[in-house]
Amino acid sequence: MSAFWILSLNSWMQTPVGFEVVNGKIMATDWLAILFNPSFPYRFTHMLMASGLTASFVVAGVSAWQVVKKVDSKATHHALKTALVAAAILIPIQIYVGDLHGLNTLKHQPAKIAAMEGVWKTEKGAPIILFAWPDKETKSNLYAIEIPKIASLILTHDPDGEIKGLNEFEGKHPPVAPVFWAFRIMVGMGMLMLLLSWFGVYLLRKRTVNTMPRLYLIALSAMAFSGWIATVAGWYVTEIGRQPYIVYGVITAAETAAKHAPAMIGLTLTAYLALYIFLLISYVLVVKNLSEKPTRGQPPKLPTAPIQKIDAGFASVDSSSRAETAGD
């Protein structure tokens, strides 16, 4: 329920509809249009899939680490199998939803797409850029590694389709480098999730969890928090990508910014970063510590007490006592 309202509001800020401006104020005219704005269905579904993938890889990664550390149990094996199957099912759905979301963004926020793809000038048959260094001074991509026509094919479903460049939005497009790199981090993590989950399901067809390659289990453990990385990168694309607007095409961020001293803003930002870094490190360490303890269903081995010899004299006395008791 919270995801619905949060994403509905955020999506409206990306694709605002159902309002009018009266005396400089935004007034709602159609609440249903506002709630179910053009980008909401795609963003909402995309986020739900991302949450499912995040949870799947946390469970799979922690379970894999328990197997590596030999503190696993049957419950660990069931958790690992369930998480891998769930991830293997969710990731292709996420890729498909992401494609639909991209088409929607191309229609409503073409400047964001231009920044994501590093398209500086409008062109047909635009290549997909695997790696580059966006240079805002020369308005070009340095050291670019490209595959011809693929960006146009993905975004327009036509290899010769036209993609508007950043030159069409002079002064009204987001900073290119952070959007460009965040998008590639998100997609890169998604591809790793696809490979690891599908390979894991393939291995489980012929092996048990205990016989899975150690290198694969370590790699899966390293991907435990990949869902968070991909999700945060995706939100960077979403939020930085709508700049310079706070409500796309309606109000700029500069128009809504309060007048605070730069030193105060810097101090607040530093405090937030320090707090979140502390919480992040603490969380990872706690999860690691808990995952290295034996799971329920496999109690820890108790130390064995040394066997003591019984004194022979005591044994003979005890035997006599029992004999007398029997005689009575």
Side-chain angles (χ1 to χ4, degrees), residues 106 110 113-129 139-141 144 146-153 155-156 158-169 180 184:
L106 178 65
I113 289 291
M116 288 162 56
E117 299 297 339
V119 179
W120 294 92
K121 295 181 180 180
T122 300
E123 60 181 305
K124 295 182 178 180
I128 189 169
I129 303 171
K139 296 183 179 180
S140 63
N141 299 312
E146 305 174 342
I147 302 178
K149 296 181 179 291
I150 299 299
S152 287
L153 179 62
L155 290 167
T156 67
D158 177 359
D160 295 314
E162 182 178 277
I163 298 179
K164 290 185 177 181
L166 293 162
N167 63 303
E168 302 263 0
F169 313 98
F180 180 89
R184 275 146 190 79

Side-chain angles (χ1 to χ4, degrees), residues 226-295:
S226 58
W228 276 299
I229 296 172
T231 301
V232 170
W235 277 109
Y236 268 64
V237 173
T238 297
E239 298 308 307
I240 300 176
R242 71 175 167 186
Q243 297 300 314
Y245 296 103
I246 196 73
V247 177
Y248 196 78
V250 180
I251 304 175
T252 64
E255 289 175 310
T256 60
K259 295 181 179 179
H260 294 302
M264 181 180 178
I265 296 174
L267 178 63
T268 305
L269 179 60
T270 302
Y272 268 111
L273 288 175
L275 175 61
Y276 275 95
I277 290 171
F278 170 75
L279 292 174
L280 178 61
I281 294 173
S282 300
Y283 177 76
V284 172
L285 290 177
V286 168
V287 171
K288 180 178 182 296
N289 179 264
L290 292 175
S291 67
E292 292 175 353
K293 294 181 178 180
T295 57

Side-chain angles (χ1 to χ4, degrees), residues 15-278:
T15 53
V17 292
F19 72 97
E20 63 180 357
V21 179
V22 179
N23 298 324
K25 296 180 179 180
I26 297 176
M27 306 294 291
T29 58
D30 187 339
W31 280 107
L32 280 180
I34 290 171
L35 289 176
F36 300 98
N37 57 82
S39 66
F40 170 70
Y42 306 99
R43 186 168 286 104
F44 182 62
T45 307
H46 199 47
M47 190 61 216
L48 290 183
M49 295 296 105
S51 298
L53 283 166
T54 299
S56 296
F57 269 88
V58 169
V59 173
V62 170
S63 300
W65 189 246
Q66 289 184 316
V67 177
V68 170
K69 289 295 182 178
K70 301 187 186 303
V71 292
D72 53 304
S73 67
K74 288 185 178 179
T76 308
H77 299 181
H78 289 313
L80 180 56
K81 291 177 182 178
T82 302
L84 281 177
V85 171
I89 293 172
L90 288 174
I91 190 65
I93 299 174
Q94 177 70 311
I95 292 171
Y96 174 69
V97 172
D99 178 62
L100 295 178
H101 193 11
L103 295 176
N104 179 266
T105 306
L106 178 65
K107 178 180 179 180
H108 296 281
Q109 295 177 297
K112 180 188 290 186
I113 289 291
M116 288 162 56
E117 299 297 339
V119 179
W120 294 92
K121 295 181 180 180
T122 300
E123 60 181 305
K124 295 182 178 180
I128 189 169
I129 303 171
L130 302 179
F131 173 86
W133 189 267
D135 187 343
K136 65 179 181 180
E137 301 300 329
T138 61
K139 296 183 179 180
S140 63
N141 299 312
L142 307 179
Y143 319 112
I145 300 175
E146 305 174 342
I147 302 178
K149 296 181 179 291
I150 299 299
S152 287
L153 179 62
I154 293 173
L155 290 167
T156 67
H157 294 178
D158 177 359
D160 295 314
E162 182 178 277
I163 298 179
K164 290 185 177 181
L166 293 162
N167 63 303
E168 302 263 0
F169 313 98
E170 200 66 43
K172 296 182 179 180
H173 65 73
V176 180
V179 177
F180 180 89
W181 283 112
F183 179 68
R184 275 146 190 79
I185 291 171
M186 179 186 70
V187 173
M189 281 295 169
M191 293 299 102
L192 287 175
M193 288 177 174
L194 176 68
L195 291 174
L196 278 175
S197 61
W198 281 21
F199 185 58
V201 171
Y202 170 78
L203 288 175
L204 288 173
R205 293 180 60 193
K206 299 184 178 182
R207 299 174 183 238
T208 62
V209 170
N210 279 330
T211 60
M212 296 179 86
R214 179 180 173 83
L215 187 61
Y216 172 77
L217 291 171
I218 292 174
L220 193 57
S221 302
M223 288 285 287
F225 303 109
S226 58
W228 276 299
I229 296 172
T231 301
V232 170
W235 277 109
Y236 268 64
V237 173
T238 297
E239 298 308 307
I240 300 176
R242 71 175 167 186
Q243 297 300 314
Y245 296 103
I246 196 73
V247 177
Y248 196 78
V250 180
I251 304 175
T252 64
E255 289 175 310
T256 60
K259 295 181 179 179
H260 294 302
M264 181 180 178
I265 296 174
L267 178 63
T268 305
L269 179 60
T270 302
Y272 268 111
L273 288 175
L275 175 61
Y276 275 95
I277 290 171
F278 170 75

